[in-house]
Amino acid sequence: MALRTRVPRRQGRSASKTFRLSSLRPNSIRTALLILAVVPSLAMIALWGVSTAQWARDWEVQKDEKALAARAGTPANAVYFNLQEERRLSAEMLADPDGPARAALREQRARTDEAIRAFRSLSGIDASNAPEDLREIVELTRSDMLRIDRIRQSVDNGVAGQADVFRYFTELIAVDLRLFETLSRSQNSEVTARARVLIDLFWAKEMLSREDALLARGWGTRRITNGEHSNLTEWIGAQQFLLESRIAPHLPHEDLLLYRQMTTSSHWLGKAETERVLLGAHSHNGSSGIPLPDSEAEWRKSVDAITPQFQKLVMNRTIDINRVGDEALVSLERRMTIVAAIGLVAVLLVVTLSLRTASVLRRRITSLRQEALELERKLPDVVERLRRGEAVDTETEVPRVGHERDELGRLGQALNLAGRSAVETAVREVEQHRGFERLLQRIARRTQLLIGLQMKKLDEMERRHEDPEVLEGLFDLDHLTARLRRYEENLVILGGGQPQRRWRKPVKMLDVLRAALGEVQDYRRIQVEVEGRPWLTGRAVGPVVHVLAELMENAAAFSKPPTPVEVRAGMVGRGLVVEIEDRGLGMEPDEYERVNRLIADPPRADMLSRADDVRLGLYVVARLASGLGLGVEFRPSVFGGTRVIVHIPEELVADRPADDAPRRAGARREADAVRGSAAGGESTRPAG
């Protein structure tokens, strides 16, 4: 039987690749669980942060809008009304420099200055979150008010004309109205809707104030130009449209009563009559301008009475808008707090549930992995125990583990079923193998009995015949029978049994080597040399003969004839060493290492799975060496072949018997005494 063969290297690479892949799987699962836990948590945190920041941004914007409206809106109202009155009085003074309007204008300027100072001091606040157009119009209004001293000086010196003064005050009031319009464009839709009515009230009052200023400079000459009449007509129409279409339908009940009280009063009716006369007036042929009616006193009285009512309506609308803005700001702050708190609770809940779910899944997956590893650890041990003949209880080795009814639970149940099925399959396979081994041993034992009888018969015939030719044929048959007996013993050993050749007394090592030599096909090439006269104990003779015969035949088979195979035996410090050296092709270094590893740790030889393996002889050597405690090592030879060192421990080396005397029989007859045992019985011709 050949012992040397090349083992493919692919198995090592595939095993390492499988190991690397299996080691990566837990990391992948942990990464997946981490992603499943972190991504929703980060998404919820981001969503909560964005929504809360948006709510906070809206609240900051509305708060700054409200602050600017409260700080700049109310003083702007006072500036608006005082500028309108100063515009009228300035027109009167330009029309009549020496009239009573100069003193009234001086007092009005003081009131206007006070309103401007209040506006500038209150509107100069930090509102960085307010809309940019709102901050720009506030700054524009503050800067335009600085020019009022220059126009006043022009009025006092009589340099400015009526049109210049009217245009300056009108532009300044228009800037003030732009401020009101910008303040009305709030992010709160309700505030914007209510502020629209207030803006229309401002424009309606501005139309009336422009009429009043225009008439103030026309009462002196009792005439106005056609252009001024056209402007007057436009202003009266705009005032009526605003009051009737844009203001009255949208006033609340209290302000609507005040509006109706104002528009049905005698002062309003007197104003309306004067406007009707003005609208119906036209220029006469050859005259310049359009004459004014003689109703200056009635007009002045009506406008002075109506103005406070206009101001009250404006103030009511302003207070209402401020109230709505305050309520909206408080409501927005409350909603922002509630939404932020609910969002924070949701974020904490999602993060907690995600981490807890990931932890539970990871713990359950780890538990399943531990079960799989435990099964992987138990299964080879169970199989080995079964092969040793021990009884194995499946319920004890693979107990049923309760699992939940979800996907992982079904996986765990499948793992339990797989483990039980694997153990049950292993039990059936081991029973089959054990039965096959028993059958193999029974057949081999029966064959060994026949071989033993044949060897006895050949021995008897050798003793009876003295013809050299007949003896040579008998010796060849004897040699073939000895080899056949070794092959049958190989089957017994591979089937889990032990050789049954037994010796009660020690045997010389030379006879052991000759007995092994007699079981090798090409025995004539083998040269045996023994230093001294060492002996082996009886229990070691059979296994050692078998091991040496296998190694000698291997050396002869892998070395080209007629090169010799040298066998040397001698005592060493810790026992007996036998060296078998051939001059063949040898093996690769990794093959030596693999063979030595196989000898040191012999596998369980499964005859069904290893029937085609050419290394069965090596398994036999490994099995016998392991059972007896022999040391077998393959090394490169200096001749290029292989050198095998067999170390027999000193407890297997026997002392020379006291009654040992030189034998006069031939060498072959001494070897026959060693190998002449029957299969299954004790030696019929024991040595010594």
Side-chain angles (χ1 to χ4, degrees):
M1 291 193 177
L3 300 182
R4 287 172 237 175
T5 182
R6 295 183 182 273
V7 180
R9 301 182 183 180
R10 186 180 305 169
Q11 294 180 356
R13 291 194 295 269
S14 63
S16 62
K17 181 178 180 182
T18 303
F19 176 77
R20 288 196 297 270
L21 291 177
S22 63
S23 64
L24 289 175
R25 288 194 187 103
N27 293 333
S28 300
I29 291 176
R30 284 197 294 269
T31 303
L33 293 177
L34 184 62
I35 292 174
L36 290 176
V38 170
V39 169
S41 302
L42 292 180
M44 284 297 298
I45 292 173
L47 183 62
W48 173 76
V50 170
S51 61
T52 304
Q54 185 61 41
W55 279 95
R57 174 66 179 171
D58 293 342
W59 179 78
E60 288 288 343
V61 170
Q62 292 195 28
K63 184 188 72 169
D64 285 354
E65 286 180 351
K66 181 66 181 60
L68 272 178
R71 302 293 296 272
T74 302
N77 286 355
V79 172
Y80 166 79
F81 288 114
N82 282 285
L83 287 176
Q84 288 178 341
E85 184 65 18
E86 186 172 347
R87 177 177 58 186
R88 181 186 69 81
L89 291 175
S90 297
E92 286 186 7
M93 196 197 79
L94 289 175
D96 185 11
D98 298 328
R102 181 177 291 274
L105 178 60
R106 188 180 303 111
E107 295 176 359
Q108 179 58 45
R109 286 177 177 175
R111 289 192 291 272
T112 303
D113 289 341
E114 184 178 354
I116 290 175
R117 282 194 300 271
F119 174 80
R120 289 184 59 82
S121 63
L122 293 175
S123 63
I125 62 172
D126 182 18
S128 56
N129 291 311
E132 185 177 357
D133 56 346
L134 179 58
R135 289 184 279 112
E136 288 179 354
I137 193 62
V138 170
E139 291 300 321
L140 179 61
T141 306
R142 288 165 57 86
S143 61
D144 280 358
M145 289 179 181
L146 298 177
R147 297 187 299 154
I148 195 169
D149 291 334
R150 188 171 65 255
I151 196 65
R152 285 174 177 176
Q153 187 176 4
S154 300
V155 171
D156 293 340
N157 295 335
V159 175
Q162 288 282 7
D164 295 333
V165 175
F166 182 85
R167 183 171 58 253
Y168 167 75
F169 280 101
T170 301
E171 290 176 353
L172 190 56
I173 293 171
V175 172
D176 210 16
L177 288 172
R178 281 180 57 195
L179 173 62
F180 295 145
E181 290 180 351
T182 306
L183 287 172
S184 68
R185 291 194 294 269
S186 172
Q187 290 192 355
N188 190 303
S189 58
E190 187 177 359
V191 172
T192 301
R194 292 180 182 243
R196 187 68 259 173
V197 179
L198 177 61
I199 298 302
D200 291 337
L201 270 174
F202 278 125
W203 277 108
K205 176 61 176 66
E206 171 62 10
M207 297 300 105
L208 177 59
S209 179
R210 290 181 183 181
E211 290 181 59
D212 194 19
L214 180 60
L215 292 176
R217 72 190 189 200
W219 292 120
T221 59
R222 300 296 179 182
R223 286 185 178 277
I224 57 176
T225 63
N226 291 330
E228 291 173 342
H229 185 269
S230 177
N231 290 335
L232 193 63
T233 302
E234 180 183 349
W235 296 336
I236 293 173
Q239 178 190 165
Q240 292 176 353
F241 170 77
L242 290 172
L243 291 173
E244 294 174 4
S245 301
R246 302 285 296 272
I247 297 174
H250 302 288
L251 288 174
H253 181 69
E254 297 81 0
D255 290 345
L256 183 60
L257 293 178
L258 181 60
Y259 169 78
R260 290 176 179 173
Q261 181 181 356
M262 178 185 69
T263 55
T264 57
S265 64
S266 58
H267 299 294
W268 186 270
L269 296 177
K271 176 190 81 72
E273 178 62 24
T274 302
E275 291 175 341
R276 186 184 64 76
V277 173
L278 289 172
L279 293 175
H282 53 82
S283 61
H284 298 285
N285 294 332
S287 61
S288 59
I290 298 174
L292 295 178
D294 190 12
S295 57
E296 178 183 2
E298 183 178 355
W299 171 264
R300 181 80 269 127
K301 182 179 179 182
S302 297
V303 172
D304 289 344
I306 291 171
T307 298
Q309 294 177 316
F310 253 113
Q311 292 177 347
K312 184 171 180 58
L313 274 175
V314 169
M315 188 57 63
N316 287 349
R317 290 290 81 222
T318 302
I319 293 173
D320 180 66
I321 291 172
N322 289 335
R323 179 185 59 80
V324 172
D326 291 338
E327 292 176 355
L329 191 62
V330 172
S331 176
L332 179 62
E333 184 177 5
R334 186 184 306 112
R335 289 198 303 272
M336 178 185 69
T337 304
I338 293 174
V339 169
I342 293 176
L344 181 59
V345 172
V347 167
L348 295 177
L349 184 62
V350 168
V351 172
T352 302
L353 289 179
S354 299
L355 294 177
R356 181 174 177 80
T357 302
S359 177
V360 170
L361 288 176
R362 184 171 178 268
R363 191 161 53 247
R364 293 182 61 187
I365 291 173
T366 303
S367 176
L368 291 176
R369 181 172 178 268
Q370 292 298 328
E371 291 182 20
L373 292 176
E374 183 67 17
L375 178 62
E376 182 183 9
R377 184 189 64 80
K378 279 185 176 181
L379 192 57
D381 180 64
V382 170
V383 173
E384 186 63 29
R385 287 164 54 194
L386 287 171
R387 288 180 175 175
R388 290 198 302 265
E390 298 181 14
V392 174
D393 185 8
T394 305
E395 292 290 340
T396 303
E397 299 299 333
V398 188
R400 300 180 184 271
V401 181
H403 292 279
E404 300 179 10
R405 297 184 178 273
D406 56 1
E407 288 77 3
L408 287 178
R410 289 194 289 271
L411 178 61
Q413 293 172 3
L415 183 63
N416 284 339
L417 293 176
R420 297 174 64 84
S421 177
V423 172
E424 292 171 356
T425 303
V427 171
R428 289 194 297 269
E429 289 184 355
V430 170
E431 289 177 352
Q432 292 176 358
H433 295 329
R434 192 178 298 159
F436 177 78
E437 288 177 351
R438 287 195 297 268
L439 177 62
L440 187 66
Q441 290 183 37
R442 190 156 46 249
I443 295 174
R445 297 294 187 191
R446 290 179 179 179
T447 306
Q448 282 182 328
L449 289 176
L450 297 177
I451 293 172
L453 293 175
Q454 182 176 339
M455 293 188 71
K456 287 182 180 180
K457 192 66 176 177
L458 288 172
D459 187 62
E460 293 175 358
M461 294 178 66
E462 289 172 3
R463 294 179 185 276
R464 288 199 304 266
H465 292 279
E466 297 181 359
D467 187 351
E469 293 183 358
V470 174
L471 286 175
E472 185 177 0
L474 291 175
F475 289 159
D476 289 339
L477 287 175
D478 191 299
H479 180 68
L480 290 174
T481 305
R483 289 172 57 202
L484 181 60
R485 180 181 60 184
R486 179 166 59 85
Y487 294 157
E488 290 298 323
E489 283 187 350
N490 284 351
L491 295 179
V492 173
I493 294 168
L494 292 174
Q498 292 293 328
Q500 291 191 352
R501 286 186 287 176
R502 298 288 186 270
W503 280 263
R504 293 192 301 270
K505 297 180 179 181
V507 178
K508 289 188 294 183
M509 188 64 199
L510 180 60
D511 293 340
V512 172
L513 291 175
R514 287 173 177 173
L517 186 66
E519 297 181 3
V520 179
Q521 179 180 359
D522 200 1
Y523 63 89
R524 292 179 178 86
R525 294 169 48 205
I526 301 176
Q527 301 174 0
V528 177
E529 180 184 349
V530 180
E531 295 180 2
R533 294 177 60 86
W535 291 66
L536 285 184
T537 60
R539 69 182 182 91
V541 173
V544 171
V545 168
H546 201 120
V547 168
L548 294 178
E550 289 289 342
L551 295 175
M552 289 179 186
E553 182 166 337
N554 178 71
F558 282 92
S559 61
K560 186 176 181 180
T563 58
V565 175
E566 298 178 359
V567 179
R568 295 179 295 274
M571 296 296 297
V572 293
R574 294 185 179 180
L576 178 63
V577 169
V578 180
E579 295 178 298
I580 303 172
E581 188 171 16
D582 63 60
R583 301 184 182 185
L585 298 177
M587 295 186 292
E588 298 292 334
D590 57 344
E591 240 180 301
Y592 281 113
E593 181 181 355
R594 191 178 301 111
V595 170
N596 289 327
R597 189 165 55 248
L598 177 64
I599 295 294
D601 186 16
R604 185 73 183 185
D606 184 354
M607 292 299 298
L608 290 178
S609 62
R610 305 182 187 272
D612 297 330
D613 197 336
V614 298
R615 296 178 297 174
L616 290 178
L618 186 61
Y619 294 135
V620 172
V621 171
R623 187 78 66 84
L624 291 174
S626 175
L628 197 59
L630 304 179
V632 180
E633 182 179 358
F634 286 73
R635 295 180 182 179
S637 170
V638 294
F639 301 108
T642 300
R643 180 186 179 196
V644 184
I645 300 175
V646 180
H647 176 257
I648 302 173
E650 56 186 353
E651 60 266 18
L652 300 179
V653 179
D655 296 331
R656 179 178 178 178
D659 58 348
D660 179 46
R663 295 177 181 269
R664 300 188 178 271
R668 179 185 177 284
R669 193 58 68 181
E670 291 184 357
D672 288 342
V674 178
R675 61 176 174 82
S677 62
E682 190 173 315
S683 172
T684 58
R685 292 178 297 172

